[in-house]
């Protein structure tokens, strides 16, 4: 069979093949996850398609009436296409046909959408992005019902709407189609899949290599540039899971139509890595909420359900089933069926979470997003260390920002995005003004703020040009460590942060060690916030609570949104300043900060200058040093004890850290920790790779034969 | 066999009988919940009894070292006793014997505990209460190991410690032993059970009827007075579950030793009702947090595990197994075994939650705690209406306070107790000062505050003398309603509140209707707070946010602890004032308040004048009217829509209520509701019991043949 002839006889052949369909037809006859999903879908769809057809003239912007109706239409067509294939009931095919007939009448009458605002205009929708998503779904529906249609029906639909939309998205929108950007991926996916179905190999070529087929634009170039070598997407996981959808969808269609392209092998399996990385960048089912991220979004997102299914279909890795099981839903595709069957048989094994530095940028050398995990289980405690590049317009000014997760909860927190998705009363459901004025600002993060100004002066374009350098990454059994530096976040101030996760169950050690150094020839104010979740329990120092009235901490760069609730002046009474809080997860957390000269402590809560109550009232402690040139914050966050009000016991509510200090001996950095029981530890590390080092404590010499190591010293 | 002889041969015979033990010995041979619990318990105990014996001279108060050691000892002895019976391994019996030998040496040397402070002194412990709890456990352990002991060993233990403790708790502590109070119940339980084991029927008689055996004190009197006829305990469920323990324990021992007393039949089965009521007074597994209550406490509390097991042993009601299953733990008793076996077989049926007025006081006529449920399922939405008496020292000044629960969450909230149980840094783990100054005060609750002063001027003794009157209680399919009044909370001001839960799924109605009337001849300021959980979304009126600085709302009665975050002046622009918030459960809630003359709205958040950050920063809206004589707050809380950021959709984020009003026609009270879709409803009720009533709307007459009814009117 020639390729053309083959396409004429075999449908569907995009994400699903005819073989997939045959298997699905069998699968719905036996009880299990797949049958359940099928019956649910069918019940919902049968109700929906009884409604009168509704293909209105485009009028409203995102969230508005016609926008939502057209979105709903492509979803219903997509489902109807699949149900037609599975059930062979013509009512589903007729539904798709009838809707597409309406679109075939409407589309030729359209010009640019009346609400067009973006550089990516649409006709059915205010944005070309939505138009591409429409076609990605619709072409799959059409492919599914094609065998049911007469030649003339096909002609009507293809000429009336499918070809015009594809041409609009490609030839008529070259700036988007050729762009190495997520919008471009949706467009190339839509046009390329349409090319397969309508037997236009030329469209497929353009989708893969750009309108001029040179490879400077198109899907392959996007694959080259939008993910780093280990599959990290530079806007972070919240947008990564969205970006993933057109990649895996088109790739699956390419694989089914042109397996010789070995698309999933491409670039050392970068697509499979991207799927896996999306799952890796989560804790307790939710994505790490760096940059503009809705914090409720997690691995059960539909995009990752598709991604995991496709990855499982290719690799058969049973760890992926663990993620699929947590997703709690299966999809009606060939891969979805394989997942459902495997889960029905209980074939899942524990997904292995990894301590990993996810290099950022196309070559993976523009900084990194570092994830330190105490072990590979879901239950591990996790440090994230954001030494990434800016992440474009959705990026936050949080170079080398830190988060900590433990016992199922976020402990050192990231605000995420200030947004109530689709809640019209909250700024139309869009990003709130406070997203710019607070959530993106440096002070909203657990990283250093110099002179009450955000990194790069809060200018995205400047941020886009720079990134931190990952200096050190080490994955020892007991200590996971990363170190990074940047000297472009502030003019004339170099920043270096080293963070280590130390977990030794047999020693009751659950520590995050953090050393943040600023270097400058001129004097500055250095603020290091620790945003935390929980209820303040105690501090080991005197503080002045602002009990009778509250005022904002500052006037700009996010400081205007922080109420100053208490503060402690410099005092050399304690060797360490200790603050303890209790998280709802029932554990205590104590921040132990070396009481460096002039160290002040501020207690804050978000919500000032927020007249519409758009912000969550999250709390923070800010370590502050004024008028400093070179300065160093040395901290140890200890997780300890248990509060169990239900069973009425409380264990170890007091931090055990008695003493903490940092010093350097030659190339060796040493953090010295002493506990109340007089046990003593040194975390030693160096970055002279390959060289063995040593250091001396109390006259005793210790050899350091690896990058980082925890030493237990003899008791005093 | 004479009774004496029988006691000499059959052990144990308190909560467990020899027959129970025989069944347990079989049960541990087969896998299931009971075996699992047994193996866990054995593993923990085997480790614990390897430690050196530790019976220190009493020195510390509650929470201190010797206190905790003696508590731990009785728990270990109790477990060892049971394990001895089940395994017949003498090491467990020897452990109990060895510990009791130590106590037999120690106890005779003791006088009053050095930290004694209460009116209920102890010797081993600072409080006699703990001493009684010690004996309740210890006598069960002794009973279990008795067959293993020689005559002389028994003599040593009984004379050295068991008899002296029992005498101390009875003859030497008459004020506690005879008291109709929870402390008295523990004492009578301890002494009575000791009487059974040591064959001293006289002690049993005194335990049952007081030291003079007149019945003016003792266990039976406590049974008569501490619970209302339907099993409500007047301190509320948090203390009820604690009070329950000695009642069910001693009752079970009485049943096993003297079944002829028919103790579980007593007072129309009041003990079984008390167990059931404890379970009824919960939502989503947690107790309603009225009065001093730790909000994390729920039906999995060990006291209710015992209670449910005993109730199931007597009644075999399979609904109790539903509670037992949620408790997630079984106990090593005969009843616990029955529960475990039934759960292993999956015999549980849905527990039926009820709409019920729990009459307060010994006769059930001192007000009531009213629970309105939309249906009998766990998932129902629930209104609680606290028209109870004061609840003694742990009572809050919240007459006719309202709470609302929906979709798994607390929506209109009660602060509960200000306390971090056992967290030493937080005021020794005791009730915090803010418990008095805020949590108990009226303004911390969803009920009316007159002139910024708490009910009864915040004086418990005054509160103890009064209670509201339950005027009306109706349980219709669509509308559950309660009405109560009190004229003693404030001098010269009568308060009447009527609250209805209206739930009609087919009409999308999920409403709480609330009419709060104050009547006075003189002018007052009336404040009606609605404490809520969630994020503020919008209001339909202008308000002035205190964006740049915050101050406390007042100076006393809890007002000093509220930050005033925004306020809205009176305005007659809207017919209803509407405030919408979004709970973490994903649902929107809109408070629609009739915009009565001079109605102001205050937005508050707790945390002012709280220099140690002891309070949670809970939020409230306060409806305020100044300078009023008779005044009426009419509100409708609507639950609506869904926010699903994970699946990226938002439904019905806007409240549908267009109009709301209240009027009276003769004896008929009418709440009129109109929605955006022009549908109109009247909730009509009256308290002329037995009489049929009617009312007129738009010239149409409607007959009201029951206490309350929802009418759907024709659309306008
Ligand atoms: Zn951020
Ligand atoms: Zn309360």
């Amino acid at each position: 069979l020639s390729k053309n002839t083959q396409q004429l006889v075999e449908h569907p052949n995009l994400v699903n093949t005819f073989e997939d369909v045959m298997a699905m037809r069998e699968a719905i006859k036996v009880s299990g996850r797949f049958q359940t999903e099928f019956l649910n879908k069918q019940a919902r769809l049968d109700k929906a398609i009884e409604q009168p057809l509704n293909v209105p003239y485009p009028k409203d912007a995102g969230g508005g009436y016609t926008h939502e109706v057209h979105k709903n239409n492509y979803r219903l067509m997509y489902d109807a296409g699949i149900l037609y294939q599975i059930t062979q009931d013509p009512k589903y095919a007729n539904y798709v046909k009838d809707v597409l007939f309406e679109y075939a009448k409407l589309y030729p009458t359209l010009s640019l959408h009346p609400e067009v605002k973006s550089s990516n205009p649409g006709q059915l929708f205010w944005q070309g992005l939505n138009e591409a998503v429409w076609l990605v779904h619709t072409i799959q529906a059409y492919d599914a019902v094609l065998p049911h249609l007469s030649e003339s029906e096909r002609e009507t639909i293809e000429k009336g709407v499918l070809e015009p939309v594809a041409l609009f998205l490609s030839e008529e929108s070259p700036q988007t189609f050729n762009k190495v950007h997520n919008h471009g991926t949706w467009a190339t996916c839509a046009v390329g899949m349409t090319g397969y179905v309508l037997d236009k190999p030329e469209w497929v070529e353009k989708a893969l290599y750009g309108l001029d087929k040179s490879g400077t634009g198109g899907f392959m170039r996007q694959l080259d540039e939008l993910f780093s070598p280990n599959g990290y997407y530079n806007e972070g996981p919240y947008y990564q899971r969205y970006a993933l959808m057109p990649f895996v969808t088109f790739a699956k269609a390419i694989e089914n139509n042109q397996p010789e392209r070995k698309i999933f092998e491409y670039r050392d399996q970068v697509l499979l890595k991207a799927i896996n990385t999306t799952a890796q960048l989560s804790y307790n089912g939710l994505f790490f909420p760096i940059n503009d991220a809705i914090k409720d979004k997690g691995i059960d997102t539909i995009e990752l359900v598709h991604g995991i299914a496709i990855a499982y279909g290719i690799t058969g890795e049973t760890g992926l089933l663990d993620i699929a099981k947590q997703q709690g839903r299966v999809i009606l595709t060939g891969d979805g069926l394989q997942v459902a069957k495997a889960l029905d048989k209980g074939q899942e094994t524990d997904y292995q979470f990894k301590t990993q530095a996810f290099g950022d940028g196309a070559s993976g050398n523009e900084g990194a997003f570092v994830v330190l995990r105490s072990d590979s289980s879901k239950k591990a405690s996790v440090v994230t260390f954001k030494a990434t590049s800016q992440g474009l317009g959705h990026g936050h000014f949080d170079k080398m920002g830190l988060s900590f997760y433990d016992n199922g909860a976020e402990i050192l927190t990231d605000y995420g995005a200030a947004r109530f998705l689709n809640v019209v009363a909250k700024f139309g459901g869009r990003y709130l003004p406070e997203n710019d004025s607070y959530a993106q600002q440096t002070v909203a993060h657990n990283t250093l703020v110099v002179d009450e100004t955000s990194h790069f002066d809060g200018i995205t374009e400047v941020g886009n040009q720079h990134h931190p350098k990952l200096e050190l990454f080490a994955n020892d059994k007991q200590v996971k460590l990363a170190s990074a530096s940047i000297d472009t976040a502030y003019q004339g101030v170099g920043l270096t942060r080293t963070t280590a996760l130390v977990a030794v169950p047999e020693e009751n050690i659950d520590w995050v060690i953090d050393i943040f150094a600023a270097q400058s020839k001129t004097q500055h104010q250095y603020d290091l916030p620790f945003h935390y979740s929980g209820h303040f329990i105690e501090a080991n120092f005197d503080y002045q609570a602002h009990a009778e009235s509250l005022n904002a901490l500052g006037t700009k760069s996010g400081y205007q949104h922080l109420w100053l609730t208490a503060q402690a002046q410099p005092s050399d009474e304690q060797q360490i300043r200790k603050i303890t809080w209790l998280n709802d997860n029932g554990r205590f957390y104590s921040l132990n900060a070396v009481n460096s000269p002039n160290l002040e402590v501020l207690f804050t809560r978000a919500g000032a200058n927020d007249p519409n109550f758009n912000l969550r009232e999250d709390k923070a402690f800010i370590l502050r040093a004024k008028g400093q040139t070179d300065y160093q914050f040395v901290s140890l966050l200890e997780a300890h004890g248990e509060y169990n009000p239900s069973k009425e016991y409380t264990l170890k509510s007091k931090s055990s850290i008695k003493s903490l200090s940092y010093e350097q001996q030659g190339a060796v950095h040493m953090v010295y920790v002493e506990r109340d029981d007089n046990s003593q530890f040194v975390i030693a590390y160096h970055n002279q790779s390959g060289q063995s080092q040593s250091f001396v404590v109390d006259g005793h010499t210790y050899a350091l034969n690896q990058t980082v190591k925890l030493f237990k010293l003899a008791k005093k």
Side-chain angles (χ1 to χ4, degrees), chain A:
Chain A
L1 286 176
S2 82
K3 196 157 169 309
N4 285 10
T5 319
Q6 188 183 15
Q7 283 188 316
L8 285 174
V9 294
E10 278 192 8
H11 287 277
N13 196 28
L14 290 172
V15 169
N16 287 319
T17 63
F18 189 69
E19 287 71 34
D20 291 329
V21 170
M22 297 299 283
M24 290 194 269
R25 286 179 191 167
E26 290 306 307
I28 60 167
K29 297 176 188 164
V30 293
S31 71
R33 284 173 171 82
F34 194 84
Q35 187 195 56
T36 302
E37 174 61 19
F38 165 76
L39 293 173
N40 287 340
K41 183 75 86 184
Q42 189 177 40
R44 283 202 304 273
L45 188 66
D46 284 352
K47 219 166 153 184
I49 66 177
E50 279 171 17
Q51 306 298 316
L53 296 186
N54 185 5
V55 181
Y57 198 85
K59 178 173 155 295
D60 302 319
Y65 174 74
T66 65
H67 181 94
E68 293 301 321
V69 169
H70 288 299
K71 275 175 74 172
N72 197 40
N73 281 343
Y74 71 63
R75 289 176 183 149
L76 292 175
M77 284 193 285
Y78 175 85
D79 287 344
I82 287 179
L83 286 197
Y84 171 67
Q85 283 289 348
I86 297 179
T87 65
Q88 297 168 278
D89 185 335
K91 76 174 175 183
Y92 299 119
N94 288 333
Y95 174 77
V96 174
K97 180 184 70 180
D98 293 345
V99 176
L100 284 177
F101 269 31
E102 293 297 315
Y103 276 106
K105 271 185 268 175
L106 174 69
Y107 204 79
T109 72
L110 301 182
S111 53
L112 284 191
H113 190 284
E115 294 284 339
V116 157
K117 277 192 195 103
S118 78
S119 58
N120 171 220
Q123 300 198 139
L124 273 174
F125 295 91
W126 67 328
Q127 286 195 93
L129 171 63
N130 303 107
E131 202 117 332
V133 177
W134 183 94
L135 185 55
V136 166
H137 286 79
T138 301
I139 193 62
Q140 293 183 74
Y142 180 71
D143 181 39
V145 305
L146 216 155
H148 179 75
L149 303 179
S150 70
E151 273 300 330
S152 87
E153 287 167 343
R154 294 182 192 185
E155 171 100 4
T156 302
I157 292 168
E158 293 180 9
K159 297 297 175 208
V161 58
L162 298 179
E163 290 186 14
V165 175
L167 288 171
F168 175 78
L169 291 171
S170 54
E171 306 297 338
E172 295 165 37
S173 305
Q175 75 292 354
T176 302
F177 191 80
N178 285 331
K179 197 173 182 183
V180 182
H181 180 279
N182 175 247
H183 290 189
T185 314
W186 279 103
T188 54
C189 171
V191 172
M193 295 209 306
T194 306
Y196 282 128
V197 177
L198 271 48
D199 193 20
K200 295 184 183 289
E202 179 78 1
W203 290 11
V204 176
E205 285 300 302
K206 288 181 176 176
L208 290 171
Y209 298 108
L211 287 175
D212 64 1
K213 296 183 276 181
S214 70
T216 54
F219 188 76
M220 301 310 288
R221 182 73 188 275
Q222 290 155 2
L223 261 180
D224 283 338
E225 299 206 355
L226 290 180
F227 294 103
S228 78
N230 47 27
Y232 180 80
Y233 182 78
N234 95 332
E235 296 186 284
Y238 176 75
Y239 278 96
Q240 170 145 358
R241 54 87 212 172
Y242 185 69
L244 207 56
M245 192 71 177
F247 275 111
V248 298
T249 302
F250 191 25
K252 182 75 189 179
I254 295 169
E255 180 74 9
N256 283 336
N257 282 277
Q258 301 182 289
E260 66 279 12
R261 290 193 187 271
K262 295 192 194 315
I263 189 74
F264 285 106
E265 298 292 318
Y266 188 71
R267 217 185 145 204
D268 201 16
Q269 303 192 322
V270 72
L271 270 177
L272 294 173
K273 285 179 180 162
I275 295 167
N276 247 302
T277 292
T278 313
Q280 288 284 346
L281 297 179
S282 69
Y283 182 79
N284 201 13
L286 297 181
F287 293 131
F288 296 129
I290 55 167
N291 296 331
D292 283 346
I294 302 290
K295 295 185 84 164
D296 312 69
K297 201 81 181 180
I299 57 171
D300 63 347
T301 185
I302 188 66
E303 295 91 347
L304 195 57
V305 177
H306 282 271
I308 292 288
I310 286 173
Y312 178 72
I314 292 169
T315 66
E317 279 173 20
T318 51
L320 296 169
L321 298 171
D322 185 3
I323 302 292
K325 190 173 185 183
Q326 293 175 62
Q327 289 172 335
R329 57 208 268 204
V330 296
I331 47 173
L332 302 181
T333 67
D335 293 322
L337 172 57
Q338 288 193 48
V339 168
K341 278 183 172 170
L343 287 177
D344 287 345
K345 290 184 196 148
Q347 292 175 339
E348 68 276 11
T349 57
D350 285 347
Y351 184 79
Q352 298 296 302
F353 287 99
K354 287 182 183 150
T355 289
Q356 191 170 345
F358 296 90
D360 197 359
S363 306
N365 59 2
E366 300 173 21
F369 185 72
V370 184
V371 180
L372 309 176
R373 295 182 182 266
S374 60
D375 61 52
S376 65
S377 75
K378 287 180 200 65
K379 300 276 177 195
S381 51
V382 178
V383 165
T384 68
F385 184 44
K386 187 171 180 274
T388 65
S389 60
Q390 181 69 18
L392 308 178
H394 290 299
H396 287 195
F397 298 95
D398 59 346
K399 298 303 100 181
M400 309 191 302
L402 190 75
S403 288
F404 180 54
Y405 302 83
D406 185 54
N407 204 18
E410 193 184 9
I411 306 303
L412 293 179
T413 62
D414 186 309
Y415 190 91
R419 182 182 191 187
F420 290 87
L421 196 68
N422 298 332
V423 179
V424 176
K426 286 297 192 195
F427 210 63
R430 302 189 298 280
Y431 287 102
L432 292 158
E434 291 76 13
N435 193 56
D436 287 337
S437 64
Y438 182 68
Q440 294 200 339
Q441 300 298 319
T442 306
V443 75
H445 298 87
N446 305 315
T447 189
L448 200 79
V449 192
V450 177
D451 298 332
E452 301 191 24
T453 303
S454 287
H455 297 165
F456 311 116
D457 265 331
I459 301 167
T460 300
E461 293 66 30
V462 179
N464 285 341
Q465 297 163 23
H466 303 286
H467 57 79
K469 180 172 179 231
L470 183 64
E471 306 278 1
L472 207 53
F473 170 75
N475 183 0
D476 171 69
K477 186 170 183 305
Q478 298 185 321
V479 190
K480 329 285 174 183
L481 177 141
S483 183
S485 65
I486 187 166
D487 57 9
T488 49
Y490 295 102
Q491 211 167 10
V493 185
L495 306 178
T496 303
R497 182 173 222 168
T498 305
T499 293
L501 177 67
V502 191
V504 189
E506 51 274 26
E507 294 279 359
N508 275 318
I509 291 178
D510 281 299
W511 300 340
V512 180
I513 307 252
D514 185 49
I515 299 153
F516 208 131
Q519 286 173 304
S520 180
K521 296 206 161 66
T522 53
Q523 290 195 342
H524 299 280
Q525 173 183 295
Y526 298 122
D527 284 352
L528 182 58
F530 288 91
H531 296 265
Y532 70 99
S533 170
H535 197 118
F536 171 79
I537 295 294
E538 64 175 332
N540 75 335
F541 52 86
D542 287 335
Y543 55 86
Q544 296 73 50
H546 293 210
E548 291 176 18
S549 69
L550 291 186
N551 289 288
L553 176 59
T555 57
K556 64 176 184 65
S557 301
Y559 283 72
Q560 72 276 26
H561 289 299
L562 295 174
W563 296 115
L564 177 62
T565 58
Q567 62 197 118
Q569 298 304 322
S571 151
D572 56 8
E573 275 175 33
Q574 309 91 5
Q575 192 263 329
I576 44 178
R577 291 201 162 198
K578 194 187 284 281
I579 301 169
T580 300
W581 68 90
L582 170 62
N583 186 275
D584 280 347
N585 71 0
R587 245 186 144 187
F588 295 90
Y589 297 88
S590 290
L591 180 67
N592 297 272
V594 170
N595 192 9
S596 306
N598 297 301
L599 187 73
E600 300 175 36
V601 185
L602 312 176
F603 294 38
T604 68
R605 194 172 57 223
N609 287 294
D610 176 23
N612 298 314
F613 297 96
N614 284 340
L615 291 171
R616 288 194 313 273
E617 295 95 347
D618 291 1
K619 290 176 282 193
F621 305 110
I622 300 180
L623 306 181
R624 166 173 287 184
K626 288 184 200 150
Q628 304 296 315
T629 53
D630 289 357
Y631 199 81
Q632 201 157 250
F633 295 93
V634 177
S635 318
L636 186 159
L637 177 68
E638 181 188 20
H640 55 98
E642 184 183 355
Y643 177 64
N644 193 324
S646 169
K647 296 194 177 165
E648 300 203 346
Y649 64 82
T650 298
L651 304 172
K652 290 187 189 158
S653 60
K654 292 268 181 191
S655 163
S656 71
I657 307 300
K658 184 157 77 180
S659 172
L660 173 69
S661 59
Y662 164 86
E663 69 171 290
Q664 234 179 307
Q665 288 187 12
V668 179
H669 304 256
M670 299 160 52
V671 177
Y672 171 89
V673 185
E674 185 179 0
R675 299 199 293 196
D676 282 337
D677 63 359
N678 298 325
S679 58
Q680 297 174 79
F681 301 87
V682 168
I683 295 101
Y685 60 95
H686 70 102
N687 63 0
Q688 309 296 306
S689 106
Q691 292 183 26
S692 181
Q693 304 284 336
S694 67
F695 62 94
V696 179
V697 178
D698 287 338
H700 190 90
T701 301
Y702 297 84
L704 176 60
N705 302 320
Q706 56 197 76
T707 303
V708 63
K709 192 167 155 61
L710 173 75
F711 295 85
K712 184 171 187 180
L713 309 186
K715 281 200 187 188
K716 266 182 184 165

